[in-house]
């Protein structure tokens, strides 16, 4: 019995196990305790007591060793070095273009518009014909546009989503469509063969140019700040009539020596206009019943104007020293 108890004590691998051994060999119901209770002769009693003491000593020693080992393991695993320098809490962020894209979406969702997807690979029917580009228009040239085959292009603007949306639903239409656009340009500080646009389209009964300028004024103030002023000048696009270009006031200067607006006081943001009735005919809307406005702006351009950096290629370089600023 003593040998059994000693080897059980030695085999115990944790404080829980050694306490179980203690109960089994020294507990009130253990064989040893029962024998001690029943013993009559002094000799036998002394011998049993000696066994109990040796067992107790062995179990105590093993229990103490196991407790020390467990404490050591816990202290090591829970150790915190409070002297380590803090390595800043690095939080990720969205790319500036993604941020602006979501800002614009939020502005228009707040105005009750829907956000719709367009296609980056378009047919010339949607990229040019439906938008009233005449046959010899320079944008139809493979020198200006990336053709995949005779009638398939990488869209040169988000405007084809106007045609697709109107073909798919009846008025009223209030949508924005944001995404990548492609042109056959050599990259430089202000050009990229891939860039992003936001397209807006509103078609309803009685939409006027004042609705367009009011909406763009609202958008520009959300993007650039409430203190900015806006201005609209006439322009030309094949798919809007009249066409306008939106300007936002330059806050850097009021005249001389301005790096942002080149002394004019105004910054050109992008194109817009009243939907040409020819587009309504193309999609089967009644031009006598509805009018509409549309606009299409470059997101890189908005980013550069708002944050005043001179080279849009920064947006593609992904240098964290640049990206982390926004
Ligand atoms: N699609 C035009 C461009 O890329 C912008 C535009 C969109 C103008 C909608 C008027 C209406 O320059």
């Amino acid at each position: 019995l003593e040998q059994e108890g000693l080897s059980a004590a030695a085999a115990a691998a944790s404080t829980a196990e050694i306490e179980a051994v203690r109960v089994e060999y020294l507990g009130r119901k253990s064989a040893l305790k029962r024998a001690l209770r029943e013993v009559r002769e002094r000799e036998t009693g002394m011998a049993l007591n000696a066994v109990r003491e040796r067992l107790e000593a062995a179990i105590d020693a093993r229990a103490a060793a196991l407790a020390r080992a467990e404490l050591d393991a816990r202290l090591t695993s829970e150790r915190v070095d409070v002297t380590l320098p803090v390595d800043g809490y690095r939080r990720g962020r969205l790319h500036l273009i993604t941020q602006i894209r979501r800002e614009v979406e939020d502005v228009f969702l707040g105005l009750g518009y829907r956000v719709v997807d367009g296609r980056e690979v378009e047919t010339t029917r949607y990229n040019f014909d439906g938008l009233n580009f005449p046959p010899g228009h320079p944008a139809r040239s493979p020198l200006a546009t990336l053709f995949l085959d005779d009638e398939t292009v990488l869209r040169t603007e988000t405007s084809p989503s106007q045609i697709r949306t109107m073909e798919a639903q009846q008025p009223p239409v209030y949508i924005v469509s944001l995404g990548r656009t492609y042109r056959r340009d050599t990259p430089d500080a202000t050009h990229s063969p891939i860039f992003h646009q936001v397209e807006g389209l509103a078609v309803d009964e009685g939409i006027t140019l004042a609705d367009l300028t009011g909406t763009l004024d609202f958008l520009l103030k959300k993007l650039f700040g409430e203190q900015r002023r806006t201005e609209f000048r006439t322009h030309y696009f094949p798919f809007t009539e009249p066409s306008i270009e939106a300007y936002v006031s330059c806050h850097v200067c009021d005249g001389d020596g301005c790096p942002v607006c080149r002394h004019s006081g105004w910054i050109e943001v992008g194109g817009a206009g009243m939907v040409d009735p020819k587009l309504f005919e193309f999609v089967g809307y009644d031009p006598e019943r509805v009018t509409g406005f549309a606009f299409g702006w470059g997101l890189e351009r908005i980013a550069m104007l708002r944050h005043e950096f001179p080279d849009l290629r920064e947006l593609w370089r992904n240098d964290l020293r640049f990206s982390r600023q926004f």
Side-chain angles (χ1 to χ4, degrees):
L1 185 75
E2 178 176 358
Q3 277 316 313
E4 215 185 287
L6 289 175
S7 44
S14 66
T15 50
E17 277 179 43
I18 192 70
E19 289 316 314
V21 170
R22 190 194 298 281
V23 168
E24 185 177 346
Y25 290 92
L26 297 171
R28 265 174 19 85
K29 291 178 187 159
S30 63
L32 187 61
K33 282 290 166 74
R34 267 186 280 121
L36 272 166
R37 272 198 296 273
E38 283 157 20
V39 72
R40 294 288 168 259
E41 308 93 59
R42 186 177 132 78
E43 296 291 297
T44 323
M46 281 173 58
L48 285 174
N49 241 328
V51 169
R52 189 187 68 183
E53 271 163 24
R54 285 193 297 274
L55 266 180
E56 254 172 26
I59 289 174
D60 283 350
R62 182 75 187 144
L66 287 169
R68 260 196 318 278
E70 285 176 14
L71 182 63
D72 275 355
R74 225 177 77 209
L75 289 178
T76 312
S77 75
E78 292 176 2
R79 183 159 114 182
V80 173
D81 185 347
V82 296
T83 67
L84 279 176
V86 175
D87 176 19
Y89 188 13
R90 295 245 174 97
R91 201 160 152 243
R93 67 196 64 217
L94 297 174
H95 190 274
L96 178 57
I97 293 298
T98 309
Q99 291 182 35
I100 291 178
R101 181 176 178 155
R102 295 199 182 169
E103 278 177 51
V104 172
E105 285 175 359
D106 283 350
V107 166
F108 282 97
L109 287 171
L111 292 174
Y113 284 58
R114 260 185 330 124
V115 179
V116 305
D117 278 331
R119 305 185 183 193
E120 294 183 27
V121 174
E122 264 300 1
T123 60
T124 49
R125 174 182 146 87
Y126 289 97
N127 199 82
F128 298 126
D129 303 342
L131 290 167
N132 196 36
F133 280 81
H137 193 283
R140 290 181 180 266
S141 159
L143 293 174
T145 296
L146 293 152
F147 278 79
L148 300 182
D149 64 35
D150 277 352
E151 52 212 29
T152 316
V153 297
L154 295 182
R155 67 175 175 187
T156 55
E157 51 198 354
T158 42
S159 302
S161 61
Q162 292 186 35
I163 308 298
R164 289 197 178 272
T165 304
M166 289 193 285
E167 273 188 351
Q169 70 161 96
Q170 287 302 309
V173 174
Y174 291 90
I175 61 105
V176 285
S177 186
L178 300 88
R180 288 186 171 193
T181 50
Y182 302 82
R183 286 182 199 177
R184 195 164 166 185
D185 279 327
T186 305
D188 66 20
T190 54
H191 295 85
S192 165
I194 311 180
F195 57 107
H196 296 78
Q197 283 191 334
V198 49
E199 193 79 14
L201 174 69
V203 182
D204 207 337
E205 287 175 22
I207 297 248
T208 69
L209 188 65
D211 296 314
L212 172 57
T213 55
T215 304
L216 296 183
D217 180 80
F218 183 77
L219 173 62
L220 283 169
K221 285 177 169 147
K222 290 283 180 237
L223 286 174
F224 287 87
E226 294 294 330
Q227 74 286 357
R228 298 290 190 113
R229 285 165 296 131
T230 55
E231 188 174 280
F232 304 95
R233 302 183 194 168
T234 55
H235 203 79
Y236 176 81
F237 298 102
F239 34 89
T240 46
E241 181 58 33
S243 301
I244 60 174
E245 198 120 62
Y247 287 75
V248 65
S249 61
C250 179
H251 70 299
V252 175
C253 69
D254 276 307
D256 289 350
C258 177
V260 178
C261 68
R262 293 194 213 87
H263 325 301
S264 76
W266 293 96
I267 307 164
E268 175 198 320
V269 186
M274 298 305 290
V275 179
D276 193 302
K278 292 212 179 85
L279 273 64
F280 293 146
E281 281 163 22
F282 188 87
V283 301
Y285 281 10
D286 179 358
E288 297 299 322
R289 197 170 72 79
V290 291
T291 53
F293 67 67
F295 62 92
W297 292 356
L299 300 189
E300 282 78 3
R301 191 172 164 73
I302 292 170
M304 289 173 76
L305 296 173
R306 187 168 81 176
H307 300 285
E308 288 162 15
F309 56 93
D311 191 333
L312 70 72
R313 286 171 293 192
E314 291 294 353
L315 291 166
W316 299 93
R317 254 197 278 274
N318 289 332
D319 182 331
L320 289 176
R321 290 170 300 181
F322 176 80
S323 312
R324 281 206 185 108
Q325 297 176 82
F326 311 109

